Amino acid sequence: MFENLLFTIKKEKHNVTDLKEILNNHPEIKFVSLVGVDLAGNDTDEKIPIKLFIDDMDTFINGTAVQTDGSSVVLPEIATLNNAKVDMITDNESVWFIDYNYDFVDPIINKPIGTLRIPCYLYHNDLPVCSRNILSNAIKNISDNILTLFKEKNSLLNDYPFKYEDIESLQLTAATELEFWVKTPNDKAHVEELSFSQTLKEQYWQRTKGIVRTALEETLLLLDAYGFEPEMGHKEVGGINGKLDNSGNYNHVMEQLEIDWKYTDAAQAADNELFIRSIVKETFRRHGLYVNFLAKPISGVAGSGKHTHFGISAKLKNGKRVNLFASNEKGYLSTIGYASIMGLLKNYEIINPFVSATNDSLKRLKPGFEAPICVVTSLGESPEVPSRNRTILVGLIRDLNNPMATRFELRSPNPYSNTYLVLAACYQSMLDGILYAADNNKTEADLLAELSKQPGEDSQYLEKDRAYRTEKDVFEDFTDEEREHFFGTAPETVYENIKAFDIYNDKLNVLKLNDVFTDSILNSFKIATLTRWATELSGRMINNYIDEVRSCKCLHSSDKVLDLDVSNWLKINDLRNYLMKDTNTTNSLFTKIKRSIKENDFETASVLQKDLYKKMELLRDLYSDYKKNLLDF
């Protein structure tokens, strides 16, 4: 299937001469699509006939490739209805992918039809306004600042076996781990069945079978063809065993999978992940399977994450690379490493809105299921014993035999987190910590002591009343009260999360350093996030809950009923009425939420949303117990 197909065009070939030769030799590439990424992480996709691209190639490559209607992408209060034009400027430094439609084969050349996807920047009124540009600026900002510090503060170079004059460039690397659910369309599994399977660990690292195995293997082969260098594909903890039909095929599929691939430059890593999501979805679809990238598609069962790794290394003029996070003194981290993780933790309140910007994302971040809800890291009991603590927010990944492997793993992102903005916010926060350490001449020992402080201990950089490091199990070794006292309270709704921009307004200066994030970008992102939250809550979520409430019906018959059955049903029905039944004098919870949103009273809507989650969970539990006690229904 993949033979004689062109999958990528590298930046060295992004010139008129080479491109014309490549496209003339590959007539299966029929279209061009310019890929801009808005503030919500949506990527544009349009079909431009390849002939138009070839005829006007110089403009596409070196000028404004296309103009589009900005009101159709998520840029509120930037691209408005009366000023909506957005220019799309080609990114010639990235890898260009060819996206094939394997359902549409050209009968003459017997190859699938391809679309050349070209990453681009979005400009409005001559100003960059897209996620790709924000990340590119953040990469440049942290690189330039570290190089300046190396030049001006020789003490920072004591951690490394090179001099400033030896450096050719800095490289910021990143990688993501993609988890997702796959199932046969329209099939449903009982939540308890999924929960029991998860508790018994019946799925984790088990063999894939049937069409799931075929789709997974085909996906990995495709990733390899594109040069993503897949490292692993395996079952995750969620799911149940499929069933074998009379034809020997598996149906009733519901499994959770994970796919990992090799790290690369940070901006390219974000591009790769965006395209890989499409590959996964389309490959499994061709095998009759539905892929779900939601963070928490099934309440009470493990959600899907996208652990995000990042590191910084120096490329030397002699060709060698040195990891800037690795300690030269056999400690946990270098000065820059400690400073970077301290910057992440101190400023996480303003990173989190980019990590968790949807209702679904925050459903996943609940206590249990290894959900990273506490702003804390783990380094390991000693430098000789790398940490494997999976209950913390930011993990330190180390290999004692390979210093280049030292990196940080942010465990909170989900498959739909906007990786461009997540990485940009992380880099800006890391730089804040680095500047603190450099300006105050901090050593590795100084920073380790400050990072390891207890709540109430004075700290020059970190907040006095908080702890930022633990080697304990966050969920098992702390009570709820201790956890909040040590590590703060996690937001439960999108509104609570985005409020951090107002509550921690001083920390926003970290994001805005050197105009990486601007006031207009932050305001646009805030409006977009709140609009999506409110619209989804009042429309889609409540409508789905209405169907669920109505499905909880009285099942017992009068001749076989017991007092317990009647009592159980009365509790259920009272709860149903509380949730959705209005009277002449009272409003239901659903109505109160809708009214609060209509009146822009988001504070009240957020409080009511938390009550809604609790009441719906209670309804499910009560109804499950009620049905279990019925012999017939």
Side-chain angles (χ1 to χ4, degrees):
M1 178 184 292
F2 310 140
E3 293 180 2
N4 302 317
L5 292 178
L6 178 70
F7 290 96
T8 62
I9 301 179
K10 302 294 179 64
K11 65 180 182 179
E12 294 80 10
K13 301 292 185 180
H14 296 172
N15 60 78
V16 172
T17 302
D18 286 332
L19 285 172
K20 283 187 176 180
E21 180 181 357
I22 289 170
L23 295 174
N24 286 329
N25 290 332
H26 290 276
E28 68 273 13
I29 302 176
K30 306 289 189 185
F31 303 99
V32 168
S33 177
L34 297 176
V35 184
V37 183
D38 65 19
L39 297 183
N42 304 313
D43 55 318
T44 59
D45 183 33
E46 63 290 307
K47 298 294 182 183
I48 302 171
I50 197 69
K51 183 179 184 302
L52 295 180
F53 176 75
I54 292 174
D55 290 345
D56 199 16
M57 191 178 292
D58 188 64
T59 300
F60 271 89
I61 297 174
N62 300 311
T64 299
V66 168
Q67 294 178 345
T68 189
D69 179 6
S71 62
S72 301
V73 294
V74 180
L75 296 168
E77 293 199 5
I78 293 177
T80 57
L81 287 175
N82 64 341
N83 186 13
K85 181 176 70 70
V86 171
D87 297 322
M88 307 178 80
I89 311 296
T90 300
D91 179 2
N92 292 315
E93 295 300 310
S94 60
V95 176
W96 298 356
F97 302 124
I98 293 86
D99 180 21
Y100 288 101
N101 181 357
Y102 295 98
D103 295 326
F104 184 17
V105 177
D106 186 323
I108 297 176
I109 59 177
N110 196 32
K111 290 183 180 181
I113 300 302
T115 297
L116 175 60
R117 285 174 59 89
I118 302 178
C120 70
Y121 297 101
L122 303 179
Y123 277 72
H124 182 264
N125 289 343
D126 297 323
L127 294 175
V129 292
C130 63
S131 296
R132 171 177 277 102
N133 185 80
I134 294 169
L135 176 55
S136 296
N137 287 344
I139 292 169
K140 184 177 186 304
N141 189 36
I142 191 171
S143 297
D144 289 350
N145 272 275
I146 291 176
L147 287 173
T148 298
L149 291 174
F150 280 160
K151 185 176 182 180
E152 296 177 352
K153 291 185 176 290
N154 290 329
S155 59
L156 279 177
L157 289 169
N158 293 338
D159 292 346
Y160 310 111
F162 60 80
K163 300 176 181 178
Y164 172 76
E165 294 77 16
D166 299 330
I167 303 173
E168 178 179 309
S169 63
L170 296 189
Q171 183 181 31
L172 278 67
T173 56
T176 54
E177 306 171 17
L178 187 63
E179 296 177 353
F180 55 94
W181 281 80
V182 57
K183 71 185 201 73
T184 42
N186 302 320
D187 275 350
K188 294 182 179 179
H190 198 283
V191 172
E192 284 192 354
E193 186 180 4
L194 290 164
S195 180
F196 291 151
S197 178
Q198 177 176 296
T199 302
L200 295 172
K201 302 186 184 300
E202 293 177 334
Q203 298 294 310
Y204 194 41
W205 289 95
Q206 296 297 311
R207 289 184 62 190
T208 50
K209 301 174 183 176
I211 54 174
V212 175
R213 174 179 176 174
T214 302
L216 178 61
E217 290 176 351
E218 185 176 321
T219 298
L220 294 173
L221 290 174
L222 255 178
L223 297 189
D224 188 57
Y226 277 101
F228 295 125
E229 299 184 64
E231 295 181 334
M232 193 179 301
H234 64 86
K235 280 195 179 188
E236 258 295 337
V237 67
I240 55 173
N241 292 325
K243 297 179 181 178
L244 201 63
D245 64 18
N246 293 332
S247 302
N249 299 315
Y250 278 96
N251 58 30
H252 198 60
V253 171
M254 187 168 288
E255 301 179 20
Q256 190 182 32
L257 304 178
E258 178 180 321
I259 292 177
D260 307 328
W261 54 94
K262 193 174 182 180
Y263 67 87
T264 186
D265 293 344
Q268 190 61 57
D271 281 351
N272 291 356
E273 185 249 309
L274 192 67
F275 188 58
I276 287 170
R277 280 210 315 257
S278 178
I279 290 177
V280 170
K281 200 156 195 170
E282 283 299 296
T283 304
F284 278 81
R285 181 195 59 77
R286 288 196 299 275
H287 292 279
L289 296 168
Y290 170 74
V291 167
N292 189 323
F293 288 117
L294 290 175
K296 194 72 169 178
I298 307 169
S299 178
V301 182
S304 295
K306 184 174 66 181
H307 299 164
T308 301
H309 298 245
F310 34 87
I312 306 177
S313 62
K315 181 181 179 181
L316 306 184
K317 294 174 182 177
N318 62 9
K320 293 183 178 180
R321 293 184 184 273
V322 178
N323 190 324
L324 297 189
F325 289 164
S327 172
N328 196 38
E329 300 178 0
K330 304 301 181 183
Y332 294 105
L333 288 163
S334 66
T335 299
I336 285 180
Y338 284 121
S340 295
I341 202 167
M342 288 169 65
L344 278 172
L345 296 171
K346 179 183 178 180
N347 296 297
Y348 189 71
E349 291 89 354
I350 56 169
I351 299 173
N352 201 12
F354 301 107
V355 172
S356 302
T358 63
N359 288 297
D360 175 63
S361 63
L362 286 165
K363 285 182 183 178
R364 169 177 164 259
L365 301 180
K366 304 287 185 183
F369 303 113
E370 300 176 350
I373 64 169
C374 296
V375 182
V376 62
T377 189
S378 168
L379 302 180
E381 295 290 350
S382 71
E384 293 75 33
V385 183
S387 171
R388 288 297 299 152
N389 191 338
R390 297 175 59 83
T391 67
I392 43 82
L393 175 72
V394 185
L396 170 59
I397 309 298
R398 296 170 62 236
D399 182 342
L400 299 180
N401 298 315
N402 180 15
M404 286 302 296
T406 303
R407 63 193 186 275
F408 300 134
E409 175 192 51
L410 184 64
R411 299 178 55 79
S412 50
N414 69 86
Y416 281 129
S417 292
N418 185 337
T419 299
Y420 299 90
L421 297 186
V422 170
L423 288 175
C426 287
Y427 289 139
Q428 289 291 96
S429 298
M430 289 160 59
L431 177 58
D432 184 61
I434 292 169
L435 292 174
Y436 156 73
D439 291 344
N440 293 277
N441 298 313
K442 297 293 183 178
T443 65
E444 290 183 20
D446 295 333
L447 296 174
L448 174 59
E450 187 170 0
L451 179 60
S452 305
K453 78 177 197 67
Q454 295 299 308
E457 290 185 24
D458 287 329
S459 172
Q460 190 173 351
Y461 180 69
L462 299 175
E463 295 171 21
K464 178 178 179 179
D465 296 330
R466 297 271 298 276
Y468 292 89
R469 175 194 174 190
T470 184
E471 304 306 326
K472 297 180 179 179
D473 185 311
V474 167
F475 302 111
E476 297 293 332
D477 297 332
F478 297 90
T479 64
D480 291 346
E481 293 77 14
E482 288 173 334
R483 201 161 49 233
E484 291 184 6
H485 172 63
F486 273 64
F487 314 118
T489 304
E492 297 182 54
T493 69
V494 172
Y495 176 75
E496 285 186 350
N497 202 13
I498 204 71
K499 267 178 60 178
F501 283 177
D502 301 317
I503 297 172
Y504 302 96
N505 189 262
D506 57 320
K507 293 186 179 183
L508 285 185
N509 292 325
V510 171
L511 299 182
K512 293 190 285 187
L513 182 65
N514 292 330
D515 292 326
V516 170
F517 288 85
T518 63
D519 285 325
S520 63
I521 288 290
L522 291 169
N523 182 58
S524 185
F525 177 83
K526 179 179 178 180
I527 292 171
T529 301
L530 287 176
T531 300
R532 180 170 52 183
W533 163 70
T535 303
E536 184 182 45
L537 175 58
S538 63
R540 181 177 297 162
M541 290 179 66
I542 286 183
N543 287 341
N544 289 340
Y545 286 148
I546 286 173
D547 292 339
E548 188 173 354
V549 170
R550 285 176 175 160
S551 71
C552 296
K553 299 181 181 296
C554 180
L555 300 175
H556 60 264
S557 57
S558 58
D559 59 329
K560 297 181 180 179
V561 66
L562 299 176
D563 289 345
L564 179 59
D565 300 324
V566 174
S567 171
N568 285 341
W569 172 249
L570 288 175
K571 292 178 184 176
I572 293 167
N573 206 41
D574 285 345
L575 191 51
R576 293 169 78 230
N577 287 327
Y578 173 80
L579 285 164
M580 68 172 286
K581 191 69 174 175
D582 294 335
T583 70
N584 287 331
T585 57
T586 62
N587 289 323
S588 68
L589 181 57
F590 291 165
T591 298
K592 289 177 182 177
I593 291 174
K594 287 190 173 185
R595 181 167 295 176
S596 297
I597 289 174
K598 188 175 182 180
E599 296 172 352
N600 290 324
D601 184 1
F602 291 163
E603 186 77 44
T604 298
S606 176
V607 172
L608 294 174
Q609 182 181 13
K610 292 191 284 187
D611 185 38
L612 173 63
Y613 286 159
K614 292 176 183 177
K615 293 300 191 294
M616 287 302 302
E617 186 174 346
L618 177 60
L619 177 66
R620 295 178 188 118
D621 290 342
L622 289 174
Y623 196 61
S624 177
D625 291 342
Y626 166 66
K627 288 195 298 182
K628 287 177 183 176
N629 200 52
L630 299 178
L631 294 174
D632 302 295
F633 58 84

